[in-house]
Amino acid sequence: MTRALFIIDVQNDFTEGGALAVTGGAAVAAGITSFLAGSPGYDVVFASRDWHDPDNDNGGHFATTTDPDFEITWPRHCVAGTPGAEYHPALDTGAIDVHVRKGQGKPAYSIFEGTTDDSLTLPEALAERAVTDVDVVGIATDYCVLASALDALDAGASVRVLRDLVAGVAPDSSDAAFARLANRGAVIIESGSVSA
Ligand code: VGL
C-alpha cells in the first residue's frame, strides 16, 4: 500500500479575509500543519492550488456581469501569481512533495484537472508513485474536496476524507458532499484516528 495525502486549495482567497472566504479555512490550514507534524506516515503529499487567469472570466467561473451565485459563478479568486492564490501562511508547505495547479482559463474543481510542476497529469503522478490510498483534506468540502475525492475513487484508490481538516462553503452542501462520498465508498474519519 502506498499512501498519499491530497491537500486541496488551502489558499488565502479561500480563507477568512479572502475573496471567496470559507469559514474555518484558516483553522484547516493550521490543523493540517499540526496533523503533519505528528508524522502521519504518508508516502507522498500532494497539494493543489486554484490558479486562474487574470484577464478573462475563466470559462464563466468568475461572475462578471451578475452577482455570483456561489454554486456555478464565483467572485474573482485565486488569480495566478497574486497573494490570494498563495498557500495560507499557516500551512506548512515544506511538507508538500508535489504541487498541482489547476483552473488556468477554466473552472477546475478537482485536483485531477490539474498539472504538477513537473508537467504530469494526476493519473501520471499517482502511477509514478504507485499510490493506492488517498486521504483528502482542505477547502472546500462541497466543491473542490468533493470533486477531488470522487475522482480519486474513480481512479481506483481507497479514499478517506478527514472530516475535521476540511471546511465547506455551506453546511447543507457540505453534509450532502459527505453523504455522497460515503455512498460512493469513501470513509469519513477524524484525523485523530489516522495512524502511520
Ligand atoms: C472552489 C469554488 C470555486 C474550491 C474553487 O476550492 O472548493 N470553490 N472555486
Side-chain angles (χ1 to χ4, degrees):
M1 145 168 154
T2 301
R3 296 172 59 219
L5 179 68
F6 283 3
I7 302 173
I8 305 300
D9 297 10
V10 179
Q11 295 169 266
N12 287 323
D13 270 347
F14 295 133
T15 57
E16 289 84 348
L20 207 174
V22 174
T23 303
V28 161
I32 294 168
T33 294
S34 311
F35 172 62
L36 288 169
S39 301
Y42 293 103
D43 298 295
V44 56
V45 176
F46 289 78
S48 65
R49 274 172 295 174
D50 228 7
W51 203 254
H52 292 305
D53 288 350
D55 56 352
N56 62 72
D57 70 1
N58 291 275
H61 190 59
F62 289 177
T64 48
T65 53
T66 56
D67 287 341
D69 65 12
F70 290 88
E71 285 183 11
I72 309 264
T73 62
W74 304 92
R76 192 180 159 83
H77 60 275
C78 298
V79 171
T82 65
E86 288 172 14
Y87 292 116
H88 188 277
L91 178 68
D92 173 15
T93 55
I96 300 167
D97 301 301
V98 183
H99 297 270
V100 176
R101 282 178 283 186
K102 61 185 176 65
Q104 296 94 331
K106 55 179 194 249
Y109 294 98
S110 167
I111 190 173
F112 282 78
E113 295 176 80
T115 310
T116 73
D117 280 357
D118 293 334
S119 302
L120 297 181
T121 65
L122 248 284
E124 287 167 348
L126 294 173
E128 190 176 75
R129 313 239 183 184
V131 170
T132 55
D133 292 61
V134 174
D135 286 355
V136 187
V137 298
I139 310 168
T141 313
D142 31 2
Y143 292 92
C144 291
V145 168
L146 171 64
S148 300
L150 287 173
D151 279 350
L153 287 164
D154 283 342
S158 295
V159 176
R160 304 188 297 188
V161 178
L162 310 191
R163 184 191 275 278
D164 54 313
L165 295 181
V166 295
V169 171
D172 285 355
S173 46
S174 295
D175 287 346
F178 286 129
R180 193 168 156 199
L181 286 164
N183 198 40
R184 285 283 312 280
V187 178
I188 315 296
I189 56 165
E190 303 292 320
S191 61
S193 52
V194 172
S195 56

